[in-house]
Structure formats: C-alpha cells, structure tokens
Amino acid sequence: MNILEKISQSQSAFSKSERKVAEVILANPQTAIHSSIATLAKMSNVSEPTVNRFCRRLDTKGFPDFKLHLAQSLANGTPYVNRHVEESDGPEEYTKKIFESTMASLEVARQSLDINVINRVVDLLTQAQKISFFGLGASASVAHDALNKFFRFNVPVIYFDDILMQRMSCMNSSEEDVVVLISHTGRTKSLVEIAQIARGNDATVIGITSKDSPLARECSLVVSLDVPEDTDMYMPMASRIAQLTLIDVLATGFTLRRGTKFRENLKRVKDTLRESRYDKKPAT
Amino acid sequence: MNILEKISQSQSAFSKSERKVAEVILANPQTAIHSSIATLAKMSNVSEPTVNRFCRRLDTKGFPDFKLHLAQSLANGTPYVNRHVEESDGPEEYTKKIFESTMASLEVARQSLDINVINRVVDLLTQAQKISFFGLGASASVAHDALNKFFRFNVPVIYFDDILMQRMSCMNSSEEDVVVLISHTGRTKSLVEIAQIARGNDATVIGITSKDSPLARECSLVVSLDVPEDTDMYMPMASRIAQLTLIDVLATGFTLRRGTKFRENLKRVKDTLRESRYDKKPAT
DNA sequence: CGTTAAGTTGTAATTTTACTACATATAATG
DNA sequence: CATTATATGTAGTAAAATTACAACTTAACG
C-alpha cells in the first residue's frame, strides 16, 4: 500500500512528536526523500530517534527503508492506488482514480497469471482447426474484440453473443476445435452449459475466468484472472480491461509462434484497410 | 528518465567493473534497492568505490541517491517503459511487456486528456434523449462495451457495427440525440460520413479519436486520446484499452451526475442478473 | 619492445549517517 | 499525589558511504 496514504491515515496512531514528523513529510515529501534523518529531525523539531520510531511505526525497517517506500510513492505522482470513486469527486478526480485503479488492476492481474498456462493456451490456439470466442454481457465485447484480432490471422474464428447460436456452434464442434469462454465471475449458467456441450464433443475448452468457479471446473484449461473489482460501481470495469490485455497477450503469442512470414501477412491485412480510410496528411 | 533504461542503454559508457555492477542490478533490481553498497559490491565482485563511481556515472549524487532513483523506477510497475515485443521473447517476456506497455499507455492517455472536455461530454450525455455508440473494426468492440455500460442506466442507447444500420440510425437522429463515434485513427471514411449525416440532423456528435483527424473536424466535440501504438504488431492494442477506460470514466461521470438514487437503480439491474448465475459458494 | 601517460580498480582512512541503550520528561491512572 | 506507563531526547556505538591515495592495467608513442 502507498505509504503516503498510510501516513495520512495513521495520524491517530502517532504520538504528538511523530505527528510533527508526519506533517513535515506530507507537506513536502519530495524534500523528505533527499534529507538525512538529522535534517528531517531538525525540520520537525524532534530528535533523530523519534524520526526513526516514526519509520518503524509504518512497518519499515528504518529510515533508509522508509525513504525507499516514500520514493516509490512519489514515483509517478501517486499512481496505481486502488482508490475508489466517491460521490463528491469532480471530473478531475474520478478520471484520475479510474485510470489509476485500472492500471493497478492490470498489475495485480499480471502477477496472478500463470505463464505456463498462457504458453499451453497459445499452443492449443495455434493447433486449432477452428477457434470460437464466447462471452455474455460485458464479456461479450471482449469476445468481440478477440474475434477482431484472431480474424486477422486467417484462421477460422467464430464469435456469437447469442446463447442459442453459441449452443448450436458448440454442438457442431469437434476434437480439433478450441472454444474460449470468457466470464469474470464464471458463474453464468448458460456459459457453463456451453462448456459442457463443447467438452461432450471433445473440443478443447479454455476458460478465461476466475479460478474455482463453476465454469472453471468444466474447462480443459483455465486462465485464471483474479482482478479486484470495484463493486461500488455495479459495473464490470477492471476485469474487462484485464481480459482484453490477456487477449492481446494470447494474440501476440500466436503471431510469434507462427514466425516472421506470418507477420508479413498481418501487414497485408492491415494495408487492405487503407482504401476505406482517408490518407494521412503528408506533412505529419 | 527511467534509471533502469538508462543503465541498459549506457552499457557502452561503463568500464569493465562497472558493467559487472550494471548486470547484477539489472538482473535483480528489487534486491539491489535493499542492499548496502558493501553487499552490492560483493555481489558484483568489485570494490565499494567502484559501485559508488557507477552511481555517479548515472548522474546521481551517490549510492543512496541512486537507490532512490532505482526505487522510483521499480515503483510504478512499468520499469521498462514501452519496450517492444521481440521475435525471441518467450511467454514470460511478452506477457510482461504487453501488460507493462499497456499500463504505460494508459498513463500517457490520462495525461493527454482534457478534463473540461470530459466534463462537457458527461453533460451532453446526461441530457441526451438517445445515445448512439458507433465504431468499426477494433473500435466496434469498444462501442459494444459502451452499449453494455450505458444500457444499465436505463437510457435509450443504440449500438450497431453495420455501416448501413449506423447510417440509417443517424438519418433519424434529432437535436436531442448524442452520437458517439469511436475511431483510433479518425480516418475511417464511413465514420466521417456518418458524422456529417448526424450533424446535418442537428444531433450532437462526439468523437473519441485522435485530434486533427478528418473525423475530429466533423464532430461537435472531440475527446482526443493520443496513445502510442506499437505498429510492429499490426493490431490495435493500447488505443483500444485507453478508449475503454475512457468509456468507464464517462459512465462513472454519468452515474455521479445522476446522484445516489440512480446508483440504487444500478444495483437493481445487477441483482437481476443473479437468476442467470450459479450461487456463490457460501463459505467464500 | 620499453617507457610513459591515461585510465581503472582496490585499500585504508575519514566522514557521515543511522541506530541502540539509557536517562529524563510528560501524561495517565488509581 | 504517588506510581506507572508512555513519550522524547542525549550520548554513545555501529554501520554505511565517501574520499584520498596507491597499485595496477591498458593504450600510445617513440
């Protein structure tokens, strides 16, 4: 957790002199990280050991360690903190908070990923005869995006956001097919049923969902993405971004596995779009 | 500038021993910031002053100062900003790189945003009789996602990924309607045409696109998102994520503007989904 | 090929910085 | 008001970083 926030929140746990130190640091943290314990003590009108004790109270090993933490908090303003949007926030605040918490969630998501599973999934995708991406609600747009990416690879790829179409498609799947099911909660009934149908036809079912969910249990392979979601908003936000980034990773893995020639092919696909676009200004 | 990058780039300016130090630090920067100059010297098999000289060569005041810079580089989770995926990268590397460059792009996007414009857009959206989200290709899934979000707000909201449907929809638009057009490049012909049609019917046209683009010129209001895109991949990746996060911001602004009562309404929408889902395990 | 100069690295001493143990002061409780 | 607990500071100690200088290595030149 961000140590600057910690300082302002722990105010009550501090003693009188420690609070003086806290004030000085919060007032000008940039100066604090470039000061020695002696100068900081003088600035706060307390003794050096008091500063040291202050550091310890914040669960750091000592003053130098504290400075490191502080420096990290200051690195990019105060980035990657999972602060929640509040009723009183203006446009500036909520924009900042949403961007920052999205970034924080991506970091958490990245750390929760199992690289071996990613590698296996890329393996399966490259070997697939046909790839299907299915999701519902917010995850539908993720599946939609996956379609857009994999479509460029010139592989048979399918996407539906209609349950019945999804079902029918899975009924017709076979051993060489890969079905990717996307769901943040992993508790959407119809998706779980679809997993069962696909598995019944010996298709490989890959789940992009949270682990230990009903959907996860029905999949051949699960890429678990554990992302903290701000439930106050009643909308999926961070989970969706993490899923999309994962799609990027899988698509990238796919192209790398296919080699250089394949990449040239991608360029051709992109170039085809040129006709539908206005030219770029020459002098830009 | 990020000191980790600086280290890897300055390799040529280092002496033999200094390079040893650089290697050790790059191999495990997390350990480096928690070591003293003595232990770091031992790890690199050089003397303490050499480590000190190494720090000075990187324009830091000394070892402690160097550690602060290093800590800051490691803090934001994007130590190697904007590095491109390479042919030789394994799953571990490209996963890391994609997540990190996505985070870096979000940071850039956030800084390029004009808060006043955001505020105006939220204004317009809350006052709209009908909201339409249109995009093509990769931006179609962004529009799709926007539909999913704004649909929950119980406002008339429209989404099509079919050009003709988009056109027809715009032909029927009127003064109270808001049309949101999403395009990274802003040079997709049919979207520009749609903007003109909508404007011709006095609808408010909001563009989520790059500034100074043909599309931007046709819009009543433009939220410009300047995101660096890794063109090596021939796929839109970061731009899409930034657009989605912007949608989150707009949706959040919308709900905040509508007040607490409205938020309760959102909760009801979410609760309705419960029937379609398996219960959460009680003991979790 | 040897001599010299420039640059590199290490050793040891010095200085600075942080920490510990203990003493004193202040506040809290019965 | 006495007693205990808590908070703060002083002085000494340990550790860390820096400096000055010496030894070594490499490159340059006659």
Side-chain angles (χ1 to χ4, degrees), chain B residues 12-24:
Chain B
S12 56
F14 293 146
S15 72
K16 200 164 40 176
S17 309
E18 285 170 348
R19 216 161 303 153
K20 282 196 232 169
V21 180
E23 257 178 60
V24 171

Side-chain angles (χ1 to χ4, degrees), chain A residues 157-211:
Chain A
V157 52
I158 289 175
Y159 151 76
F160 291 120
D161 55 1
D162 178 313
I163 316 182
L164 291 181
M165 297 295 273
Q166 292 176 353
R167 274 187 111 92
M168 288 191 282
S169 176
C170 285
M171 286 300 292
N172 291 324
S173 63
S174 67
E175 209 180 340
E176 289 83 25
D177 297 346
V178 172
V179 177
V180 182
L181 299 176
I182 305 165
S183 165
H184 174 51
T185 59
R187 290 186 280 113
T188 308
K189 284 181 187 171
S190 58
L191 268 192
V192 176
E193 287 167 21
I194 283 164
Q196 289 164 338
I197 295 170
R199 282 273 299 254
N201 287 312
D202 296 322
T204 306
V205 179
I206 296 170
I208 296 179
T209 185
S210 68
K211 64 166 177 259

Side-chain angles (χ1 to χ4, degrees), chain A residues 89-92 94-95 98, chain B residues 113-129 131 133 150 153 155 176 178 180 204 206-208 221-223 245-259 262:
Chain A
D89 284 340
E92 177 129 30
Y94 65 71
T95 302
I98 289 174
Chain B
L113 278 176
D114 183 337
I115 299 295
N116 292 323
V117 174
I118 301 261
N119 205 20
R120 282 278 295 137
V121 171
V122 171
D123 261 343
L124 292 169
L125 288 175
T126 45
Q127 286 156 23
Q129 282 284 314
I131 307 174
F133 291 99
F150 281 83
F153 301 161
V155 235
E176 290 82 26
V178 172
V180 183
T204 306
I206 296 171
I208 296 179
L221 197 57
V222 175
V223 189
T245 309
L246 176 61
I247 297 290
D248 286 346
V249 170
L250 296 178
T252 304
F254 192 98
T255 62
L256 289 180
R257 195 67 62 87
R258 287 292 179 92
F262 182 70

Side-chain angles (χ1 to χ4, degrees), chain B residues 28 44-45 77 84 114 119 123 138 155 200 225:
Chain B
N28 207 337
S44 322
N45 281 316
H84 295 309
D114 183 337
N119 205 20
D123 261 343
V155 235
L225 264 182

Side-chain angles (χ1 to χ4, degrees), chain B residues 222-247:
Chain B
V222 175
V223 189
S224 63
L225 264 182
D226 291 313
V227 180
E229 191 68 83
D230 184 351
T231 47
D232 292 355
M233 294 311 296
Y234 307 116
M235 287 187 288
M237 309 212 301
S239 59
R240 195 172 99 270
I241 303 276
Q243 288 166 356
L244 282 164
T245 309
L246 176 61
I247 297 290

Side-chain angles (χ1 to χ4, degrees), chain A residues 48-273:
Chain A
E48 301 185 20
T50 301
V51 176
N52 195 279
R53 283 187 279 261
F54 168 84
C55 299
R56 293 245 162 85
R57 197 173 295 281
L58 293 157
D59 298 318
T60 60
K61 287 183 186 171
F63 183 69
D65 188 42
F66 168 78
K67 279 211 287 192
L68 287 175
H69 282 263
L70 191 58
Q72 298 200 323
S73 299
L74 261 50
N76 256 357
T78 35
Y80 299 24
V81 197
N82 227 327
R83 284 187 309 166
H84 294 309
V85 175
E86 281 158 41
E87 203 68 38
S88 57
D89 284 340
E92 177 129 30
E93 283 89 41
Y94 65 71
T95 302
K96 197 174 173 211
K97 283 182 178 178
I98 289 174
F99 268 85
E100 283 176 0
S101 69
T102 303
M103 289 187 270
S105 303
L106 279 178
E107 178 61 25
V108 173
R110 186 181 72 95
Q111 280 166 2
S112 78
L113 278 177
D114 183 337
I115 299 296
N116 292 323
V117 173
I118 302 261
N119 205 19
R120 283 276 297 136
V121 171
V122 171
D123 261 342
L124 292 169
L125 288 174
T126 43
Q127 286 156 23
Q129 282 285 316
K130 192 178 78 187
I131 307 176
S132 312
F133 291 99
F134 299 145
L136 293 167
S139 302
S141 60
V142 176
H144 188 166
D145 186 79
L147 167 79
N148 190 280
K149 286 235 151 48
F150 282 81
F151 174 77
R152 295 167 188 240
F153 301 161
N154 200 22
V155 237
V157 52
I158 289 175
Y159 151 76
F160 291 120
D161 55 1
D162 178 313
I163 316 182
L164 291 181
M165 297 295 273
Q166 292 176 353
R167 274 187 111 92
M168 288 191 282
S169 176
C170 285
M171 286 300 292
N172 291 324
S173 63
S174 67
E175 209 180 340
E176 289 83 25
D177 297 346
V178 172
V179 177
V180 182
L181 299 176
I182 305 165
S183 165
H184 174 51
T185 59
R187 290 186 280 113
T188 308
K189 284 181 187 171
S190 58
L191 268 192
V192 176
E193 287 167 21
I194 283 164
Q196 289 164 338
I197 295 170
R199 282 273 299 254
N201 287 312
D202 296 322
T204 306
V205 179
I206 296 170
I208 296 179
T209 185
S210 68
K211 64 166 177 259
D212 301 329
S213 62
L215 176 58
R217 281 189 283 276
E218 298 297 332
C219 295
S220 326
L221 197 57
V222 175
V223 189
S224 63
L225 265 180
D226 291 313
V227 180
E229 191 67 81
D230 184 350
T231 47
D232 292 355
M233 295 310 299
Y234 308 117
M235 287 186 286
M237 309 211 302
S239 60
R240 193 172 101 274
I241 303 276
Q243 287 166 357
L244 282 164
T245 309
L246 177 61
I247 297 291
D248 286 346
V249 170
L250 296 178
T252 303
F254 192 98
T255 64
L256 289 180
R257 195 66 62 88
R258 285 292 178 93
T260 322
K261 245 188 220 159
F262 181 71
R263 300 275 284 285
E264 284 160 17
N265 203 53
L266 277 183
K267 185 165 164 20
R268 272 213 312 285
V269 173
K270 197 190 172 192
D271 290 344
T272 312
L273 294 174

Side-chain angles (χ1 to χ4, degrees), chain B residues 28-86:
Chain B
N28 207 337
Q30 204 61 48
T31 314
I33 59 170
H34 292 113
S35 311
S36 72
I37 196 168
T39 51
L40 196 62
K42 218 172 275 175
M43 284 197 284
S44 322
N45 281 316
V46 297
S47 70
E48 301 184 21
T50 300
V51 176
N52 197 278
R53 282 187 281 260
F54 168 84
C55 300
R56 292 245 163 85
R57 196 174 294 281
L58 292 157
D59 299 317
T60 60
K61 289 184 185 170
F63 183 71
D65 189 42
F66 167 78
K67 281 210 287 190
L68 287 175
H69 282 263
L70 191 58
Q72 297 200 323
S73 298
L74 293 170
N76 46 27
T78 53
Y80 303 101
V81 184
N82 248 328
R83 281 196 310 168
H84 295 309
V85 175
E86 283 157 39

